[in-house]
Amino acid sequence: MKKSITAGLLIIVCIGCIYNNDVLGLLCFDKTKKEYYNTPNEEHCLTVIRYTGNVWKNNPLDDDRRGIYIMPYKFCGHLPDTNYIRLNYVGAIENLYYKWQGDTLYLRTMDYGVKDDKLSSTVVLDRKMMDYERWGRYYDTIQVMEQYLRWKRMKAEYSVIKSSGFN
């Protein structure tokens, strides 16, 4: 009798450890990992959710809503149905730039990573990568300097979510 109780408790402890582990819990139990990015005065909030899907349902041909969700508000549920953008993990290699102006959110991300775009009209999404970001240098010095200065202005105005925060 004691052996069966001990074995049952050991199984419960193992399942609890797997559930609370970041990687194994996300994969085995359909969990999500949420991060909130508030403005300094906490007037606005940006929510980033990482959803890896489920080990039991990982068929690469199915779109099982895996990806990185970005919402312009504080989200407390599992996965959103409206007002979000979903990036695939390949698109999340690049940094995400954002800034708030009044009630409007400006997002900059790379076009190849966007899977779903269900954002409201209060969010302006810029998907076009600047040539300076894409190639770095050019043979024409004037073009390089113009784009470099534009890129520096953008980096000064926007806040950034590092790509390492997605992984």
Side-chain angles (χ1 to χ4, degrees), residues 50-53 66-68 87-93 113 115 166-167:
R50 182 178 64 159
Y51 178 61
T52 58
R66 276 184 273 180
I68 295 170
L87 304 175
N88 62 9
Y89 288 106
V90 174
I93 293 171
K115 287 183 99 173
F166 296 141
N167 302 325

Side-chain angles (χ1 to χ4, degrees), residues 9-115:
L9 287 174
L10 185 61
I11 290 171
I12 290 171
V13 168
C14 287
I15 290 173
C17 290
I18 291 172
Y19 183 79
N20 289 322
N21 184 301
D22 275 346
V23 176
L24 295 175
L26 287 171
L27 289 174
C28 295
F29 293 105
D30 203 27
K31 289 175 59 176
T32 58
K33 182 178 179 184
K34 295 182 187 81
E35 295 178 16
Y36 301 106
Y37 297 90
N38 292 319
T39 54
N41 56 3
E42 298 198 15
E43 181 181 348
H44 298 290
C45 183
L46 188 69
T47 305
V48 176
I49 297 177
R50 182 178 64 159
Y51 178 61
T52 58
N54 191 316
V55 165
W56 323 115
K57 299 186 252 179
N58 275 345
N59 183 356
L61 300 176
D62 292 343
D63 183 21
D64 58 352
R65 299 184 69 186
R66 276 184 273 180
I68 295 170
Y69 291 78
I70 301 162
M71 289 139 306
Y73 52 92
K74 187 164 186 166
F75 183 75
C76 298
H78 183 62
L79 290 176
D81 293 326
T82 59
N83 198 11
Y84 69 89
I85 183 172
R86 179 171 60 130
L87 304 175
N88 62 9
Y89 288 106
V90 174
I93 293 171
E94 302 293 333
N95 295 334
L96 176 73
Y97 295 96
Y98 69 97
K99 74 175 177 178
W100 290 94
Q101 280 186 341
D103 286 338
T104 304
L105 172 66
Y106 293 89
L107 282 173
R108 285 199 76 243
T109 187
M110 302 311 132
D111 188 35
Y112 57 83
V114 177
K115 287 183 99 173

